[in-house]
Amino acid sequence: MKYDVYHHNDFDGRASAAVMLAFLRSRGDDIEHFVPVNYYLLSQWLSEDFFKKHKLFKGQRNPAIVVDFLYHPKAAWWFEHHPTTFKKPEWAKRFRADQQHHLAPQYPSCTHLVYDALRKNFGWKPPRHIKELVKWLDVIDGAQYRSARQTIEFKEPALQVNEFVEMKLHRATGNKRLIELLATEPLDAIARLPEVRRFVKKLRKEYAKGLAFIKKNTKIVGGVSFLDRTGSM
């Protein structure tokens, strides 16, 4: 059976879609359309017929999977960890949790929620690289970093891939390939891809330039730091 996945257009949304893709393919199903969504779609999303009428892609519409995004009663599968998900009071009243519909705000990432639900409810045994993906999405989406320095240095492959994904937030091009990579390859292998390495190299230079500017132009007065950017505008 084929599905369409509607995922929030950040790393957690894409990683959640990747976990769903790995699970579905393990049982002979697949995803046809990978659709990044964000809150600019809210007025359209509130329509009961959103999945039939939207113009986000052309072609056949398949049962909808929604991950890391607002509740919609017509979604065949729905996973969310944000408590502000119900935008219509009547939708909140209609919602019933089951094996394919989950709301769990205690999870630091939606990726982890999808992973746990599929293992518990369907007996799925995910490959090792999926477990590693889940671990890092908890760190990234849950802001569970060891320090601010870790985010600036982004030495770990997962953090490099995160920077690369963030660059592609509003780009439909390459979205399917990226999710398929997350579903099938370990993060260190993705970080070694030429396009990722080029991006990381360029970003490190930009970060170094930015940090040098901040050190030069930041003044500390008492307990307050002040950054003068007037000469850089």
Side-chain angles (χ1 to χ4, degrees):
M1 184 171 183
K2 288 188 176 181
Y3 294 89
D4 300 326
V5 63
Y6 299 78
H7 60 84
H8 192 208
N9 69 339
D10 64 358
F11 196 7
D12 192 27
R14 287 178 166 89
S16 298
V19 174
M20 280 299 310
L21 178 61
F23 163 72
L24 290 171
R25 286 182 174 175
S26 75
R27 66 179 200 172
D29 296 326
D30 210 341
I31 294 174
E32 183 170 7
H33 299 106
F34 298 80
V35 191
V37 290
N38 210 339
Y39 299 100
Y40 73 89
L41 286 169
L42 180 59
S43 61
Q44 300 174 54
W45 190 265
L46 295 179
S47 168
E48 293 271 349
D49 295 328
F50 171 80
F51 299 117
K52 294 181 179 179
K53 293 184 177 180
H54 73 70
K55 298 181 180 179
L56 298 175
F57 62 80
K58 297 179 181 179
Q60 179 179 335
R61 306 299 169 93
N62 303 294
I65 299 171
V66 178
V67 290
D68 196 36
F69 198 63
L70 302 171
Y71 176 73
H72 196 288
K74 295 300 179 65
W77 300 71
W78 177 71
F79 298 89
E80 170 68 301
H81 72 134
H82 297 105
T84 56
T85 190
F86 297 109
K87 297 306 178 183
K88 282 187 173 183
E90 57 268 33
W91 284 6
K93 292 179 181 178
R94 286 166 57 183
F95 171 69
R96 295 293 182 271
D98 58 29
Q99 288 188 335
Q100 296 181 195
H101 299 80
H102 293 267
L103 172 63
Q106 70 272 23
Y107 277 83
S109 71
C110 187
T111 305
H112 197 160
L113 168 59
V114 175
Y115 173 84
D116 277 358
L118 297 178
R119 288 192 308 142
K120 177 181 178 181
N121 295 327
F122 299 94
W124 181 47
K125 296 181 180 179
R128 182 179 298 178
H129 72 273
I130 293 292
K131 184 177 181 179
E132 181 75 1
L133 180 66
V134 169
K135 182 190 82 171
W136 278 105
L137 261 298
D138 278 354
V139 172
I140 293 166
D141 210 60
Q144 297 178 355
Y145 301 100
R146 293 193 306 271
S147 65
R149 181 179 294 276
Q150 185 183 19
T151 69
I152 296 172
E153 294 178 341
F154 54 99
K155 294 179 179 179
E156 296 86 350
L159 302 189
Q160 295 172 17
V161 174
N162 176 53
E163 296 287 352
F164 182 74
V165 170
E166 291 297 315
M167 175 190 70
K168 293 180 172 291
L169 283 185
H170 303 291
R171 300 184 185 183
T173 304
N175 189 55
K176 177 180 179 180
R177 176 173 178 262
L178 179 60
I179 292 172
E180 288 181 329
L181 284 169
L182 292 170
T184 57
E185 301 292 334
L187 287 164
D188 59 349
I190 300 174
R192 290 196 301 268
L193 292 172
E195 60 265 40
V196 179
R197 295 177 68 178
R198 285 194 299 268
F199 170 75
V200 169
K201 183 179 180 180
K202 179 180 178 182
L203 188 63
R204 288 195 191 284
K205 291 181 179 179
E206 293 176 356
Y207 273 28
K209 183 178 178 181
L211 287 172
F213 177 85
I214 290 171
K215 288 179 180 179
K216 181 179 179 181
N217 294 278
T218 297
K219 298 178 180 179
I220 299 178
V221 181
V224 178
S225 62
F226 172 75
L227 176 61
D228 183 2
R229 295 190 60 193
T230 54
S232 66
M233 304 302 286

